[in-house]
Amino acid sequence: MDFKTFLLNTATLLIVMDPIGIMPIVQSLLLPVPRKRRMHVLRRELVIVLLLLLFFFFMGERILNYMEIDQSTLSISGGILLLLIAVGMVFPRVDVLGSASEHDSKNAEPLLVPIAVPIIVGPASISVVMIMAAKCPDTPTLMASSLSVVAAWAVSFVFLMFSRRIVVKLGQRGSVALTRLMGTILVLLAIQMCLNGLTKYLDDIRHPAPAQIERTEQPAEPERNDA
């Protein structure tokens, strides 16, 4: 894996995770937690995030094969999910996170839900890491590409651990402006992902794989003559 691909994969996953945009939401969910416990809870949630991302990265291909889902289908559906996330980033009034921001304050210490899932790791993030893994032709490339997942997580870790200070420094307008900018970039990536999936789908129709040809061209069984 070349350095350019590493940067592209890291940037794509980082934009999808959107640590800057979700900082205010994470901080609001941590308000019911005692101040001394907040950093511990946030670290625990971020470790869960890394484990989930690596699980879907390494096991994604097996899941796709078991469910008989083509890479083109994953690319198109992932692009649609990215587009929906991007619309929510550019137009904040569109609530793509559902009622996650309205989490019940009685649950003083969130575990897995809703901070780790679905705020940090959502359907779009899972789709992105699975597509990244599906594009790796061999095991060494797969291991190298996993560094992109770790790098994106590490940057998100730093942003979210210092989220309280960053939110104060940026202010509400700064956070909204930066989130919209990242959402605009994500729109371009989402459309490109859909186009790549559509191109691969059309290419598979024109040039089917040998295994697919064998299944479609199996000779018919000879008729039995019982006479």
Side-chain angles (χ1 to χ4, degrees):
M1 182 183 66
D2 59 296
F3 187 66
K4 181 179 179 181
T5 304
F6 170 78
L7 289 180
L8 180 60
N9 291 339
T10 303
T12 302
L13 183 57
L14 192 60
I15 292 175
V16 173
M17 295 173 68
D18 188 23
I20 297 178
I22 64 177
M23 284 191 299
I25 300 176
V26 172
Q27 286 300 311
S28 65
L29 293 172
L30 291 174
L31 286 178
V33 181
R35 185 179 294 272
K36 295 181 180 180
R37 290 278 302 169
R38 291 177 186 174
M39 299 300 288
H40 170 74
V41 171
L42 186 55
R43 280 194 296 266
R44 181 188 65 199
E45 296 300 301
L46 288 169
V47 170
I48 294 175
V49 165
L50 178 60
L51 295 177
L52 288 174
L53 290 175
L54 291 177
F55 171 79
F56 284 106
F57 181 82
F58 288 107
M59 299 299 295
E61 185 176 0
R62 296 184 180 180
I63 295 174
L64 292 180
N65 293 336
Y66 178 77
M67 301 180 66
E68 298 183 354
I69 298 177
D70 295 331
Q71 183 179 347
S72 57
T73 303
L74 179 64
S75 182
I76 295 173
S77 59
I80 294 174
L81 287 173
L82 289 183
L83 186 61
L84 293 176
I85 297 294
V87 169
M89 294 170 65
V90 177
F91 304 101
R93 292 185 179 182
V94 180
D95 186 12
V96 297
L97 293 177
S99 57
S101 59
E102 300 173 0
H103 181 64
D104 189 359
S105 60
K106 294 182 180 179
N107 298 328
E109 190 168 303
L111 176 62
L112 184 63
V113 178
I115 293 180
V117 180
I119 292 179
I120 303 178
V121 178
S125 302
I126 295 173
S127 298
V128 168
V129 296
M130 291 175 70
I131 291 173
M132 287 168 52
K135 292 181 178 179
C136 298
D138 48 36
T139 302
T141 308
L142 184 69
M143 299 300 297
S145 297
S146 64
L147 295 177
S148 300
V149 179
V150 177
W153 172 84
V155 174
S156 300
F157 181 90
V158 173
F159 273 110
L160 292 174
M161 291 302 294
F162 293 94
S163 57
R164 185 173 177 274
R165 299 179 182 179
I166 296 176
V167 168
V168 173
K169 292 290 184 180
L170 287 178
Q172 185 176 3
R173 291 186 176 181
S175 299
V176 171
L178 191 57
T179 299
R180 290 182 176 178
L181 175 61
M182 297 174 69
T184 303
I185 297 174
L186 192 58
V187 169
L188 303 178
L189 294 174
I191 294 177
Q192 185 62 51
M193 188 177 294
C194 290
L195 292 177
N196 292 341
L198 183 60
T199 301
K200 188 178 187 308
Y201 175 73
L202 296 176
D203 186 64
D204 290 341
I205 293 178
R206 296 173 183 174
H207 308 285
Q212 185 177 359
I213 296 176
E214 291 179 0
R215 288 196 301 266
T216 56
E217 295 183 355
Q218 286 182 350
E221 295 183 0
E223 295 183 359
R224 297 178 58 184
N225 188 3
D226 297 334

